[in-house]
Amino acid sequence: MGSGIFITGTDTGVGKTFFACGLAALLKESGYEVGVMKPAETGCGQDDGKLLPQDALALKEASGCAVPLESICPYQLHEPLAPSVAAEREGTRIDIDRLMSVYNEISSSHDITIVEGAGGLLVPLLPSYTYADLAKVLKLPVIVIAANKLGMINHLLLTLEHASCKGLS
């Protein structure tokens, strides 16, 4: 099984996908087989009635990962809400065992797998299960992306403190 890394942010729209795509492309150009995963993507647009997870598509393209999009992004949700809320409103239940299984499948055939969260570490996948919990169960080190704006220091330090409390590196 290859290694992995979890990309999170201090907020939504801070550049997680931009960074993750750049890292994936750099690793690919350096000769690594790069797997990617976006466990849940909300705010997906539609094309011919099919949801299109734009972040997952960008990760797939940047990495050259041949894994089907449905595995890269197992939960594609229309409403731009926290995954737990969007899933509930759409009648879907996010299954953590399924996410772990998909991650293990992707990482087993790649040198490194980049997993991109949504929002920040405390965004819920289930009412009482966050992306921090997922990063911990997957045993992934975390890279935190922060916007260069007023208030960022507080957001970043809160994120790092929570990561530390959860035992994440």
Side-chain angles (χ1 to χ4, degrees):
M1 181 178 298
S3 62
I5 193 151
F6 190 88
I7 308 296
T8 192
T10 55
D11 201 351
T12 192
V14 296
K16 290 181 299 295
T17 303
F18 178 80
F19 178 84
C21 286
L23 180 59
L26 177 66
L27 290 167
K28 177 185 167 190
E29 289 173 17
S30 298
Y32 292 94
E33 288 292 323
V34 182
V36 290
M37 184 178 180
K38 177 87 175 183
E41 185 168 338
T42 64
C44 295
Q46 292 190 16
D47 184 29
D48 289 329
K50 183 177 178 179
L51 291 174
L52 290 176
Q54 294 298 320
D55 292 354
L57 284 166
L59 289 167
K60 181 176 175 57
E61 183 176 313
S63 65
C65 183
V67 172
L69 189 59
E70 294 73 26
S71 291
I72 290 172
C73 186
Y75 294 98
Q76 303 169 19
L77 303 159
H78 177 68
E79 290 191 84
L81 303 167
S84 66
V85 177
E88 182 180 338
R89 289 173 59 133
E90 295 178 31
T92 299
R93 171 132 168 87
I94 294 175
D95 182 343
I96 302 304
D97 289 334
R98 177 178 177 212
L99 292 178
M100 292 171 55
S101 176
V102 168
Y103 172 78
N104 288 334
E105 183 178 314
I106 293 171
S107 69
S108 70
S109 59
H110 294 86
D111 299 319
I112 187 164
T113 300
I114 298 170
V115 179
E116 182 191 341
L121 286 177
L122 286 172
V123 170
L125 283 159
L126 297 170
S128 61
Y129 194 96
T130 67
Y131 275 101
D133 297 316
L134 181 64
K136 183 170 179 130
V137 78
L138 295 177
K139 299 180 177 119
L140 297 178
V142 175
I143 293 178
V144 180
I145 308 302
N148 184 10
K149 66 179 186 176
L150 188 62
M152 175 279 304
I153 293 172
N154 184 61
H155 293 160
L156 179 58
L157 292 175
L158 286 169
T159 300
L160 294 174
E161 179 72 19
H162 185 72
S164 177
C165 288
K166 284 288 190 174
L168 299 171
S169 60

